Amino acid sequence: KMLGRVLCTVLLVGTFPSPAEASQGHISVILLGATGDLAKKYLWQGLFQLYMDQVSSGHSFTFHGAALAALEPGQRLMFDVLKKLSCPPDQPPNRCAVLKDQFLKLSQYHQLKTAENYTALSREIETLLRQEGLKEAGRIFYFSVPPFAYTEIARHINCSCRPPAGAWLRVVLEKPFGHDLQSAQQLAAELAGFFREEEMYRVDHYLGKQAVAHILPFRDQNRQFLDPIWNQHHVERVEVVLKETVDAKGRTSFYEQYGVIRDVLQNHLTEALMFLIMELPANVSSAHEVVQHKLQAFQSLWGLERSSAVLGQYQAYDSQVQEELQEARGYVSTTPTFAGVLIRSDSLRWEGVPFLLTSGKALDERVGYARVLFKNRAYCTQSGALRDAGHSQCKPKQIIFHFGHGALNTPAVLVSRNLFQPVMPKDSWKEAEARSDLHVFGQPLSDFYMYSPVKERDAYSVLISHIYHGRKDFFITTENLLASWAFWTPLLDSTSRQPPRLYPGGVENQHLLDFEMVSGGLAFTLAEPAELLNPSGQMPSDFRAIQSKFRQSPLVSAWAEDLISQLASDMEEAAARSVARSGQFHLALSGGSSPVVLFQRLARHHYGFPWKHTHVWLVDERCVPLTDSESNFLGLHRHLLQRVRVPYFNIHPMPVHLNRRLCVEEDGGAELYAKDIVALVANASFDLVLLGVGTDGHTASLFPRSENGLEGAPTVVLTESPVKPHQRMSLSLPLINRARQVFVLVLGKGKHDITTLLSRVGHEPRKWPISGVSPSSGQLVWYVDYEALLG
């Protein structure tokens, strides 16, 4: 009758309701990994805080610590931690002492290794409740274990330790949730086989930090002030930053697998950014509405590429890895310990506004914040002294969500006094003293309205309370998780071979890690120091683009990102020459997946491209409405046309949809397009045609043994594809061969076999249509990445 004795004792000190009121049922909390570092530092303290807060709620509790260690040593380790639990300063010492004693009596250790162990735990909980005459409300399983153990534990819980019908199950999962999109999808699929989405609570402890958790409520409560200025017309940039003074010593086995982007940017900083840039839902407390608006924000972000980031690594990291992981002397790691990343959105609200995410270890200070810096259009005629005396409009205007540490050493919300005085909930936030001796971003605190929490709480205590209350809006859903990994994985792939900049650490870094926005990406402001990262061996990124011959035509080959950069530059150069020569540039573009990265590159980096004088044509089109996701034109519009200033009348989609039907020969769509080309393009000779190559050797929509388009007149034809959608419209091979220049783009390992084949065959367009591309009076250039060329 252990639980009954505890309840009686608590009743005596007046901290529990009467037995009549105590009818909400019993909650069992099972902490897996109960003797690990996270449990020692945060989780047991958070569970004790939950018990102190909820002991009068009507629920009864038991706490079950679990690990792989045998009963006696595991129990000893766990209770050594529990005895050190601290009482919050706002708790009366006598009450806290009683509650701590009760908490220890309600806590037990279990060895959980096998299915039988989980079955025994479930029986023990059921027996205890039967003896005490209590109804089970639910069970919380907190996974403070490595992710590789998740699936086996999930299977045991699902098979042997679920609560009975009518009681809820809440499973709490700690990051990392995978290391890229594929691994996250796999882990999510495995867990979905055992738990429903509403049963899973993925923890990002930053969502429990009070300043982060208040971003959405702040925006909601201050709509009247923010609605006019929370947009591209008023915001200069958004920064989300986490700086640490500590290094990775003691954690290099984890850090070598993950690095700073996976450890901090993909989760903590991204979540804070989403709260800042997502459209506000009608109800900011609705988990479903918040997630849907987050997903919309993710969809608006431009894809990341290698030039979107600057990476660094503190100099002692290699030696720490060698020592801790027993790597050979001379081992060189390319794992970044510092990253700055530029993110952009094409949403109407944020188009053109840079979002900067920055984090690193061994930096000069420990601080975290999200900062919205506003444009300042004011010109002030008064002197500096007069300007500083009041709240001048010439001073910087900003809103800062200060996560903690730094000069303030507390969570805080700061709003420039020359912006507005914010609405803040008085029960949870208090206005702080406007001290002029402390400075934030070079400004005295007296320049800000500053608010700090009435009661400062640890992030894990906050999140454990939300788990108890079943509040899912503070946790990461599967959709949210996969959207984040889909966004970050391309950058992780493209920078995996990139040597980071070395930095000494701490204040000695000086300006070595300062970076700036350059040509749509980021670059360090100071030149790279002369020291080489790996002087003895070459990294793939050391190779430069090479030029030679392929099928008797010029070949440009490089790693994919460098190749796309070169191709975009060559296209801009060709456009400039054509405009100088004739005042116009007629460009015919192919569809498919390969050109997408090229279109994005042109939109983001080539501001000098003469779009005003460019006519954009399609090489081919699928016979679907132009708004269909399969449409080549829709892809071109999404990734290029909506982001550059091409005159409306210079855009020429193929007329596949006439008279409410698709590609019907009698409608004459192909003939109409051919007539437009003859009318607008001199000699029907495009200045540049961009082609791709299919694995079967097709190009444009000209397929092997095609009935139309491989020979005959230079025109536009209807063709049949072996894959859906079968009907296509395409420029014919003779029309393509009238172009001044033809560039062929070939990317990826999947194209290696056809690339090898094409290097050996002659002019056989009936078998391999691409082999028939040979401009009669123009130039053909092949752009083939190393993976397609070399396999």
Side-chain angles (χ1 to χ4, degrees):
K1 294 284 181 177
M2 175 270 296
L3 185 57
R5 287 197 300 273
V6 170
L7 297 185
C8 289
T9 307
V10 175
L11 282 166
L12 287 172
V13 296
T15 56
F16 206 81
S18 69
E21 296 172 308
S23 58
Q24 292 191 43
H26 183 80
I27 296 174
S28 304
V29 181
I30 300 95
L31 175 55
L32 299 143
T35 56
D37 284 343
L38 185 65
K40 289 176 187 175
K41 288 181 181 176
Y42 301 110
L43 301 184
W44 279 116
Q45 187 68 46
L47 292 173
F48 179 41
Q49 183 68 55
L50 174 71
Y51 181 64
M52 286 189 287
D53 292 343
Q54 302 301 330
V55 71
S56 302
S57 68
H59 282 124
S60 58
F61 293 88
T62 47
F63 299 89
H64 305 265
L68 297 177
L71 183 62
E72 190 177 326
Q75 190 167 277
R76 187 170 58 251
L77 284 170
M78 189 183 94
F79 278 94
D80 284 346
V81 175
L82 298 188
K83 288 169 187 172
K84 295 174 185 174
L85 293 174
S86 59
C87 291
D90 60 338
Q91 279 283 355
N94 289 343
R95 179 180 188 271
C96 184
V98 170
L99 292 179
K100 181 177 176 180
D101 182 57
Q102 302 314 320
F103 182 77
L104 265 65
K105 289 177 179 175
L106 293 170
S107 300
Q108 307 170 53
Y109 177 82
H110 305 263
Q111 183 185 37
L112 290 184
K113 288 179 76 173
T114 66
E116 291 75 18
N117 294 149
Y118 285 84
T119 303
L121 171 62
S122 189
R123 283 183 190 145
E124 187 175 321
I125 293 171
E126 290 163 8
T127 301
L128 174 67
L129 298 185
R130 193 166 52 251
Q131 289 174 349
E132 302 294 344
L134 292 169
K135 179 184 176 184
E136 185 159 16
R139 298 180 189 179
I140 297 172
F141 283 87
Y142 200 119
F143 285 42
S144 180
V145 295
F148 66 76
Y150 281 7
T151 304
E152 184 182 359
I153 293 173
R155 184 180 294 108
H156 290 323
I157 293 171
N158 188 52
C159 295
S160 312
C161 213
R162 271 188 172 272
W168 47 255
L169 172 67
R170 292 173 191 157
V171 176
V172 188
L173 304 164
E174 277 285 345
K175 78 175 186 75
F177 313 116
H179 59 271
D180 59 13
L181 178 59
Q182 184 179 356
S183 59
Q185 287 172 327
Q186 182 180 344
L187 183 57
E190 290 170 355
L191 291 172
F194 305 112
F195 306 127
R196 297 189 301 275
E197 180 67 30
E198 62 268 23
E199 293 176 328
M200 289 186 281
Y201 291 69
R202 289 185 186 84
V203 169
D204 181 332
H205 77 272
Y206 255 60
L207 301 190
K209 287 185 176 290
Q210 288 165 291
V212 177
H214 196 61
I215 294 175
L216 280 185
F218 177 89
R219 289 181 58 194
D220 184 46
Q221 293 154 12
N222 290 278
R223 286 179 192 251
Q224 58 178 324
F225 305 118
L226 293 175
D227 278 354
I229 63 173
W230 205 255
N231 55 58
Q232 59 173 317
H233 304 297
H234 295 272
V235 175
E236 181 179 314
R237 69 171 182 257
V238 177
E239 304 167 359
V240 187
V241 175
L242 174 60
K243 296 168 65 178
E244 297 183 88
T245 53
V246 297
D247 59 20
K249 190 171 184 179
R251 294 184 70 222
T252 56
S253 60
F254 168 83
Y255 225 75
E256 267 297 271
Q257 295 180 64
Y258 290 93
V260 67
I261 294 177
R262 291 179 173 93
D263 186 34
V264 177
L265 278 78
Q266 178 271 328
N267 37 68
H268 305 329
L269 302 195
T270 299
E271 288 301 312
L273 178 67
M274 290 297 108
F275 286 156
L276 291 168
I277 69 171
M278 63 186 269
E279 293 300 312
L280 268 184
N283 179 6
V284 296
S285 297
S286 164
H288 175 73
E289 287 187 47
V290 169
V291 168
Q292 293 311 306
H293 284 72
K294 271 193 199 176
L295 294 176
Q296 291 168 13
F298 271 118
Q299 289 166 6
S300 76
L301 300 181
W302 291 15
L304 295 174
E305 51 193 39
R306 195 169 68 187
S307 60
S308 304
V310 289
L311 305 177
Q313 182 192 92
Y314 65 84
Q315 288 172 340
Y317 181 76
D318 270 349
S319 60
Q320 290 172 352
V321 171
Q322 291 167 25
E323 179 184 342
E324 293 179 22
L325 304 185
Q326 283 78 54
E327 297 287 356
R329 285 195 65 182
Y331 171 80
V332 174
S333 169
T334 57
T335 301
T337 61
F338 168 86
V341 177
L342 172 63
I343 297 173
R344 291 187 183 272
S345 167
D346 61 11
S347 71
L348 289 174
R349 182 183 295 277
W350 296 115
E351 186 176 12
V353 178
F355 309 141
L356 294 169
L357 269 57
T358 306
S359 185
K361 291 191 171 293
L363 301 182
D364 62 319
E365 63 175 338
R366 183 185 185 190
V367 69
Y369 60 85
R371 178 191 186 208
V372 180
L373 183 64
F374 292 87
K375 296 174 182 177
N376 200 329
R377 296 182 173 88
Y379 172 76
C380 299
T381 55
Q382 75 268 40
S383 68
L386 287 170
R387 192 179 304 171
D388 291 340
H391 306 308
S392 166
Q393 288 301 309
C394 281
K395 289 185 176 182
K397 300 177 180 182
Q398 51 196 321
I399 297 174
I400 303 162
F401 298 92
H402 193 271
F403 307 155
H405 306 293
L408 303 182
N409 200 33
T410 182
V413 177
L414 300 95
V415 179
S416 293
R417 288 182 180 269
N418 56 5
L419 267 175
F420 58 86
Q421 182 168 6
V423 175
M424 296 290 283
K426 289 186 170 59
D427 59 332
S428 52
W429 292 83
K430 61 185 178 184
E431 188 166 2
E433 178 188 355
R435 295 174 56 182
S436 56
D437 58 324
L438 285 179
H439 288 70
V440 177
F441 300 110
Q443 287 185 265
L445 278 189
S446 53
D447 281 358
F448 298 91
Y449 295 108
M450 176 179 160
Y451 299 83
S452 59
V454 170
K455 180 180 179 182
E456 197 168 330
R457 298 195 64 180
D458 168 68
Y460 279 99
S461 296
V462 171
L463 291 176
I464 287 170
S465 174
H466 291 323
I467 295 161
Y468 163 77
H469 285 104
R471 287 197 59 179
K472 295 237 20 179
D473 48 321
F474 286 85
F475 298 88
I476 309 299
T477 66
T478 301
E479 280 185 300
N480 189 163
L481 172 71
L482 298 182
S484 181
W485 276 122
F487 175 68
W488 284 100
T489 297
L491 178 67
L492 292 165
D493 290 343
S494 66
T495 58
S496 61
R497 305 182 182 103
Q498 184 174 327
R501 167 171 289 198
L502 296 179
Y503 59 95
V507 293
E508 293 179 38
N509 295 333
Q510 297 185 30
H511 299 293
L512 198 58
L513 297 178
D514 292 353
F515 56 84
E516 59 189 342
M517 290 173 274
V518 180
S519 301
L522 292 184
F524 286 116
T525 54
L526 294 181
E528 180 78 57
E531 182 182 355
L532 288 174
L533 177 66
N534 187 11
S536 59
Q538 290 176 302
M539 296 293 296
S541 54
D542 295 332
F543 293 104
R544 302 183 68 180
I546 58 171
Q547 291 205 17
S548 57
K549 294 283 184 179
F550 184 80
R551 294 182 54 82
Q552 290 77 54
S553 294
L555 167 69
V556 181
S557 190
W559 293 106
E561 191 168 337
D562 295 330
L563 185 72
I564 292 295
S565 176
Q566 183 65 51
L567 174 55
S569 296
D570 291 349
M571 289 177 67
E572 183 175 349
E573 191 177 322
R577 283 198 309 268
S578 178
V579 171
R581 181 180 65 250
S582 65
Q584 293 182 325
F585 178 56
H586 287 276
L587 171 65
L589 296 171
S590 292
S593 57
S594 291
V596 168
V597 286
L598 172 66
F599 297 159
Q600 292 172 341
R601 178 87 193 177
L602 287 168
R604 298 176 192 179
H605 297 279
H606 291 266
Y607 302 112
F609 201 104
W611 293 114
K612 188 167 70 171
H613 305 286
T614 298
H615 284 257
V616 178
W617 303 81
L618 267 74
V619 168
D620 65 324
E621 180 60 281
R622 297 174 170 95
C623 291
V624 296
L626 297 186
T627 54
D628 191 286
S629 60
E630 295 277 354
S631 166
N632 287 344
F633 178 78
L634 182 64
L636 178 63
H637 171 74
R638 279 180 176 166
H639 299 293
L640 179 64
L641 296 180
Q642 70 175 355
R643 297 177 178 177
V644 296
R645 293 188 175 182
V646 181
Y648 176 80
F649 292 108
N650 287 11
I651 299 172
H652 307 282
M654 282 184 157
V656 294
H657 200 181
L658 296 172
N659 300 322
R660 298 185 180 180
R661 49 190 189 174
L662 294 162
C663 292
V664 175
E665 197 164 347
E666 297 82 57
D667 292 336
E671 290 83 356
L672 281 172
Y673 207 58
K675 285 178 182 177
D676 282 350
I677 293 169
V678 169
L680 296 171
V681 183
N683 302 317
S685 175
F686 291 105
D687 295 302
L688 175 60
V689 174
L690 177 71
L691 299 176
V693 180
T695 54
D696 59 354
H698 84 264
T699 191
S701 280
L702 303 172
F703 297 91
R705 292 168 293 281
S706 180
E707 296 293 325
N708 301 319
L710 295 179
E711 51 195 19
T715 187
V716 181
V717 294
L718 294 176
T719 66
E720 288 286 325
S721 163
V723 296
K724 291 183 179 180
H726 296 299
Q727 284 186 299
R728 308 289 175 94
M729 187 179 289
S730 177
L731 304 185
S732 69
L733 201 52
L735 183 55
I736 290 169
N737 283 334
R738 295 186 71 156
R740 290 175 176 271
Q741 282 187 298
V742 178
F743 292 170
V744 182
L745 175 62
V746 191
L747 295 176
K749 283 184 181 178
K751 302 290 177 68
H752 175 61
D753 290 346
I754 189 64
T755 304
T756 304
L757 179 66
L758 290 172
S759 69
R760 298 169 183 162
V761 302
H763 180 88
E764 298 184 66
R766 296 288 300 171
K767 287 186 177 179
W768 303 286
I770 188 65
S771 70
V773 176
S774 179
S776 52
S777 57
Q779 182 191 36
L780 170 63
V781 182
W782 293 81
Y783 292 81
V784 188
D785 78 342
Y786 288 148
E787 290 191 332
L789 192 66
L790 306 173

